[in-house]
Amino acid sequence: MIELFHNDMSVCSAKVRIVLAEKGLGWKSHTLNLRAGDAQRPEYLRLNPNAVVPTLVHDAKVVVESAVICEYLDDVWAETPLRPGNPLARARMRLWTKQLDEGVHAATGTVSACIAFRHQHMKKSAEDLKRYIDGIPQPERRERIQKAVEFGMDSPTFAPALRRLDRLIADIERALTDSDWLAGESYCLADAAYTPYMIRLEHLGLGDMIKPRPRIADWTARLFARPSFKTAVADWFNPETLAVFEAHRESAREKAARILKA
Ligand SMILES: N[C@@H](CCC(=O)N[C@@H](CS)C(=O)NCC(=O)O)C(=O)O
């Protein structure tokens, strides 16, 4: 029995749903409303003390951290492998998933909050907003979200996060010179992991980073054409969240163009 505690448009949740879909596994869904602070409720903190989604519960065993969950799924359902068999290709795969955890995910969170999610937070009462921010257990994440809500795209964290993502896109473009997929000739956990981050860039109005780079444009088209993209990502799009992205897309596109040209 597989249960997933997740959120419809969270990138880390989508990453795990893609792996479940690629492996053809059935699972029971428990959705959390992150903006309402569901991940900070005591009953959820008992599963995941980091107050984040996703959390996997497999036969009553709890696994947290999306990269760890994906490897766990690949270990348990090894007959449909999503990690390269070749040790060097597997090392390349892990370098990609490692950098997601070491900066790319935080940069995506910053950019998303500065452009779009702050507008959802700002609808809360001052008291609820304070309770939400104070409830973020990691001081670094707490400060990032606080600044994003207060300053939006003028936050001192916005431009460095945007540049980090632009560097990522350039790195992916280079990597795809040698192979069709991130770690070699077959689709693997690294390709699955980056898929939600690529669609997030488009949602935020940052697709111009991808368009002029032909290999990454082709790679994202192939990622988005996979059946797992429909069932694990697109079918979970939340119309209210999409409307927030849409409302701020043009100003984000303009601001990003100015920052990246400088
Ligand atoms: N390193 C964690 C990061 C998880 C994370 O940051 N999740 C976000 C959504 S993508 C979250 O739950 N945020 C809580 C919130 O917005 O309150 C993982 O990979 O599982």
Side-chain angles (χ1 to χ4, degrees), residues 10-12 34-35 51-54 65-67 101 105 132 141:
S10 121
V11 279
C12 295
L34 297 179
R35 243 52 88 212
V52 291
V53 287
E65 283 297 317
S66 59
D101 285 341
H105 175 70
Y132 173 80
R141 183 159 71 92

Side-chain angles (χ1 to χ4, degrees), residues 91-111:
R92 281 177 65 188
M93 179 209 91
R94 290 216 172 97
L95 280 175
W96 286 111
T97 55
K98 186 170 184 281
Q99 62 167 307
L100 257 189
D101 285 341
E102 289 179 348
V104 170
H105 175 70
T108 304
T110 298
V111 166

